[in-house]
Amino acid sequence: MLHGLAQSGPYFESKTKGFRRVLEPLGYEFYYPTAPTKCSPADISTDIDDLGASSADDYHTWIVPDPVNNEYRLPDITRTFLREYILEHGPFDGIIGFSQGAAVAGYLLTDFNHLLDLTEEQQPTLKFCILFMGFRFKPDVYQEQYIKHPITVPSMHVAGQLDTVVDVAKIHDLHAACAEGTGTYLEHSGGHFVPNSKGFVTKVAEWLQSLPE
């Protein structure tokens, strides 16, 4: 479970109780890493409240600004951290991300084991990914990866109809990076958050159960 910008693992865990309540009886176990890089409100262009941020002294980020090029990048520290986390706690069946965490997951899923330097034995091919408000990385340096390595892991891309943080077009851009027939698009009626309603999470559960073993 990869949290969003200015959140932490424990905070994201507290915000997804309803989500887990439906899926845990199906046998799913959830892990909530915290991004290794801390950030401050000054580093964040979006309103903190809109992000659904954690407490003021516990802001974390998976990606970091690149002020020289007026862009951002996925730092080596994030990839190293996730590799070590998987080696310690995995292997995993799937990956779920929210906002920035979903964007990171989406990029890594273009070639997950290669980008994290993991063998098939250390981490077998993931069975699914669920990306809430996940967007495609914008900097040019990442585009070749999306083009040459379409996402083949069965994926669900969720947009919030009232989301004012991640435009739905950006979610479609990541969805378009999937191999044909592998990506599912779904909307919920709220804003920038992971829906906890039983009705919505049941749709997610039904999708998971429809996937091949």
Side-chain angles (χ1 to χ4, degrees):
M1 299 289 288
L2 301 187
H3 61 77
L5 173 62
Q7 294 185 348
S8 67
Y11 180 82
F12 191 36
E13 184 175 11
S14 74
K15 290 293 184 179
T16 52
K17 289 180 180 178
F19 188 80
R20 297 198 312 276
R21 193 175 295 124
V22 175
L23 296 181
E24 283 175 339
L26 300 178
Y28 291 99
E29 187 176 0
F30 293 79
Y31 290 78
Y32 288 83
T34 295
T37 303
K38 280 208 164 190
C39 60
S40 70
D43 300 322
I44 301 168
S45 58
T46 305
D47 188 286
I48 287 289
D49 292 334
D50 290 342
L51 292 172
S54 185
S55 60
D57 60 347
D58 199 26
Y59 296 153
H60 296 262
T61 181
W62 300 104
I63 58 181
V64 296
D66 177 5
V68 174
N69 298 304
N70 194 29
E71 292 181 342
Y72 54 81
R73 61 185 176 86
L74 180 66
D76 289 341
I77 190 175
T78 292
R79 292 202 289 181
T80 299
F81 170 81
L82 289 174
R83 180 182 188 275
E84 293 176 352
Y85 192 90
I86 290 169
L87 291 175
E88 180 177 355
H89 300 283
F92 294 103
D93 285 336
I95 183 169
I96 299 174
F98 168 65
S99 196
Q100 186 194 87
V104 170
Y107 175 72
L108 292 176
L109 283 161
T110 60
D111 197 354
F112 195 79
N113 285 51
H114 177 72
L115 291 173
L116 293 183
D117 191 25
L118 293 165
T119 66
E120 184 71 15
E121 183 178 2
Q122 292 168 330
Q123 174 57 61
T125 301
L126 292 170
K127 298 177 181 178
F128 68 87
C129 62
I130 304 174
L131 307 174
F132 291 94
M133 295 85 204
F135 53 92
R136 179 169 171 157
F137 282 173
K138 184 178 179 180
D140 291 341
V141 68
Y142 297 110
Q143 300 316 306
E144 185 177 3
Q145 182 69 21
Y146 290 110
I147 294 168
K148 288 190 173 182
H149 303 276
I151 298 169
T152 58
V153 175
S155 59
M156 174 178 280
H157 302 253
V158 182
Q161 294 175 347
L162 302 180
D163 192 347
T164 60
V165 178
V166 178
D167 187 271
V168 67
K170 295 181 179 180
I171 297 171
H172 282 299
D173 284 345
L174 182 56
H175 182 230
C178 298
E180 186 175 355
T182 63
T184 298
Y185 179 81
L186 187 64
E187 290 187 350
H188 72 95
S189 59
H192 194 68
F193 57 83
V194 174
N196 280 304
S197 70
K198 185 175 181 180
F200 181 86
V201 185
T202 296
K203 292 180 182 178
V204 175
E206 290 172 348
W207 176 78
L208 285 169
Q209 290 176 305
S210 74
L211 299 176
E213 291 293 334

